[in-house]
Amino acid sequence: MDKRTTILDIKKHKRGKKQVWLTAYDFYTARYLDAAGVDGILVGDSLNMVVYGHQSTLSLSLEQSLFHTDAVVRGSERALVIGDMPFLTYQHSISDAVLNAGRYLKEARAGGVKLEGGMEMADTIARIVEVGIPVMGHIGLTPQSINVFGGYRVQGKEDKSRTYLLESSRALEEAGCFAVVLEAMKPDIAGEITESLSIPTIGIGAGPDVDGQILVISDILGYDDTFEAKFVRKYADVASIIRDAAKKFAEDVRSGNYPSKDETY
Ligand code: KIV
């Protein structure tokens, strides 16, 4: 029997136990996150930055996202895996959006998709959900729109932006989203949105008054030792672990200490 978390399990969490989400992009990370008991794994388009080393998420292709989503699904057994639709794979037309969203379920066996945008995306989301594809919404700082925002800026500071966020969250719920990511916004507006919706809100840089939290795996592991953000808590220092292991290997190879007799056939 399939023991994979479903969107119904996720929806039940509303105002209950806080939900735990992390991003992952590969098989082994997915395996360990699954073993750690996370509720959901997002194969975020942050992939383009933290795996491929680009400055933004914009150039990620649908194929790249699908390959990594497939690896994460194979690495996990229990967590709900959501694929994050790249820039311009869902904004151009509703029919493109449905076909591209469907590829996550057909080719990568994901449990659903995430896409960015507020009320302006409601018709697209409604159609994707109508054909049987679960959708996670994403409002606030939506990184695919950084060129419009003028950078990575906290949202919900002005009345106009607060109204947009509140109305958009309702539009996403009405369109059929099973949950919505609230990214980089003032905590009081995130709290207000969480109170007003019947679907769970998953925050990233949105304060404590949400139904769950998501962070980028590379940030909590400390992969990039130059990256700092107010909302990120670092639980490991993988940059040092990799550097130290590589240095020790180099010393052993150069000194002839590796391979030993036991390590030789
Ligand atoms: O791409 C991503 O990792 C995301 C999360 C930060 C929510 O969208």
Side-chain angles (χ1 to χ4, degrees):
M1 194 151 101
D2 199 357
K3 44 187 186 301
R4 181 84 69 178
T5 302
T6 69
I7 62 161
L8 293 186
D9 302 317
I10 296 293
K11 280 166 110 173
K12 269 193 236 145
H13 270 286
K14 181 75 188 173
R15 294 193 183 90
K17 199 165 64 142
K18 292 270 187 185
Q19 281 186 45
V20 180
W21 284 71
L22 279 165
T23 68
Y25 318 99
D26 65 90
F27 178 85
Y28 284 109
T29 306
R31 178 185 276 185
Y32 303 135
L33 297 191
D34 211 46
V38 303
D39 299 297
I41 302 178
L42 172 72
V43 189
D45 61 354
S46 46
L47 166 65
N48 208 42
M49 301 171 79
V50 301
V51 174
Y52 289 105
H54 291 286
Q55 291 299 309
S56 79
T57 58
L58 298 179
S59 59
L60 186 72
S61 72
L62 182 60
E63 267 62 33
Q64 284 173 305
S65 175
L66 285 167
F67 285 149
H68 286 268
T69 305
D70 178 54
V72 168
V73 170
R74 275 185 282 119
S76 58
E77 290 180 352
R78 205 197 31 76
L80 177 66
V81 177
I82 297 298
D84 199 9
M85 298 186 72
F87 181 54
L88 288 192
T89 63
Y90 59 92
Q91 294 96 334
H92 177 250
S93 72
I94 293 184
S95 58
D96 276 0
V98 170
L99 289 173
N100 290 334
R103 291 186 65 185
Y104 284 88
L105 272 62
K106 287 184 77 160
E107 296 172 34
R109 293 170 300 118
V113 297
K114 177 175 85 56
L115 55 87
E116 296 182 5
M119 52 180 88
E120 68 285 357
M121 292 312 301
D123 289 345
T124 303
I125 292 171
R127 184 66 193 131
I128 297 174
V129 173
E130 209 169 59
V131 302
I133 303 164
V135 177
M136 185 177 211
H138 182 166
I139 54 172
L141 197 182
T142 43
Q144 293 178 14
S145 304
I146 45 156
N147 291 302
V148 175
F149 292 142
Y152 294 96
R153 293 175 194 284
V154 174
Q155 303 296 300
K157 286 186 172 169
E158 307 87 27
D159 286 351
K160 200 170 144 203
S161 157
R162 296 170 74 86
T163 307
Y164 168 77
L165 291 173
L166 206 56
E167 288 178 2
S168 284
S169 66
R170 293 196 190 114
L172 295 186
E173 172 167 350
E174 270 168 37
C177 285
F178 71 89
V180 58
V181 171
L182 306 180
E183 178 163 354
M185 63 177 70
K186 300 302 280 179
D188 57 334
I189 183 73
E192 204 176 323
I193 291 172
T194 301
E195 256 325 292
S196 77
L197 297 188
S198 64
I199 53 171
T201 57
I202 311 298
I204 172 163
D209 297 327
V210 287
D211 298 304
Q213 298 285 344
I214 181 165
L215 283 175
V216 170
I217 188 70
S218 333
D219 295 346
I220 72 161
L221 294 182
Y223 254 88
D224 178 356
D225 56 4
T226 64
F227 178 72
E228 276 179 24
K230 193 174 167 65
F231 61 89
V232 169
R233 191 174 291 177
K234 226 167 135 175
Y235 290 86
D237 186 1
V238 166
S240 298
I241 293 174
I242 295 175
R243 252 193 319 257
D244 292 350
K247 268 191 203 155
K248 284 182 190 144
F249 178 62
E251 277 165 24
D252 286 348
V253 170
R254 286 176 187 141
S255 68
N257 189 32
Y258 176 84
S260 68
K261 237 175 159 183
D262 287 350
E263 289 158 331
T264 306
Y265 289 113

